Amino acid sequence: MSDTMPAIYFANLQKRFGSLEVLRSLSGQIERGEVVAIIGSSGCGKSTLLRCFNRLETINGGQLIVNGIDLSQSNLSRKRLQALHSKVGMVFQQFNLFPHMTVLENLTLAPRKVLERPKRDCTEVARRYLDKVGLIEKADAYPDQLSGGQKQRVAIARSLCMEPEILLFDEPTSALDPELVGEVLITMRNLAQEGMTMIVVTHEMQFAREVANRVLFLNKGQVEEEGDPRQVLSNPRSERLRTFLSRLKMAAA
């Protein structure tokens, strides 16, 4: 994939669920190595946009190109979808780990089945990424033996085992107790410092301010404000964004 091409390009992007218009003519692009935080109130379209980037939702109009693959087409071949999912990883709010498998088995499943790599190679890669997220000692543990923060770090390692070029995070800390949030954010911060292209739907404004290159504020399915996180979050132009940030501060008080 050419380094000169954006990681994600979208123009006049539209998404509807029945008569409900969730995304309304969004346009923009995300460069390789960029960390973009997407913020906004519940129901504004954040998670839907992220799911469109990974073809978990199909779009209803406009153009969407992710990692060189045109997702505007309604009839993508299985081969193209497999190519997309092998290079675009996603970390969800819920960890989605298989409870009957060990941590190591959870990590090696997709590379073996999707990428058809030898088990020995998959195990070596899995152990490397478990070490990367600080959980190598949990390789033989089962998910119910882990804390929420550990489960989310395992979920991140699982995505890394596919060796993606783009990582999508959908509120990765929202299901965690407050004291466990920090360990996940540290892992994400380390990935950002290594140059991973990351799009993060989040309510963690401190993370957005410190780690993201750019923040997008969505409102009613449109980008209402975007720019440098420190500028946008410290001095928002939009009245809706000011209200949103004020409510977050009140909730945290």
Side-chain angles (χ1 to χ4, degrees), residues 195-208:
M196 175 64 74
T197 305
M198 297 165 56
I199 301 93
V200 186
V201 169
T202 185
H203 279 97
E204 298 288 342
M205 294 302 107
Q206 192 65 25
F207 174 83

Side-chain angles (χ1 to χ4, degrees), residues 115-157:
L115 302 181
E116 299 180 343
R117 290 178 177 168
K119 182 178 180 180
R120 182 176 178 178
D121 292 352
C122 294
T123 299
E124 183 179 327
V125 170
R127 294 184 69 84
R128 183 169 79 243
Y129 284 120
L130 273 179
D131 189 44
K132 189 182 189 71
V133 301
L135 290 173
I136 188 63
E137 75 282 359
K138 300 294 185 180
D140 297 320
Y142 286 87
D144 63 1
Q145 297 173 308
L146 306 177
S147 70
Q150 289 172 334
K151 289 177 184 177
Q152 192 60 290
R153 285 152 64 198
V154 168
I156 292 172

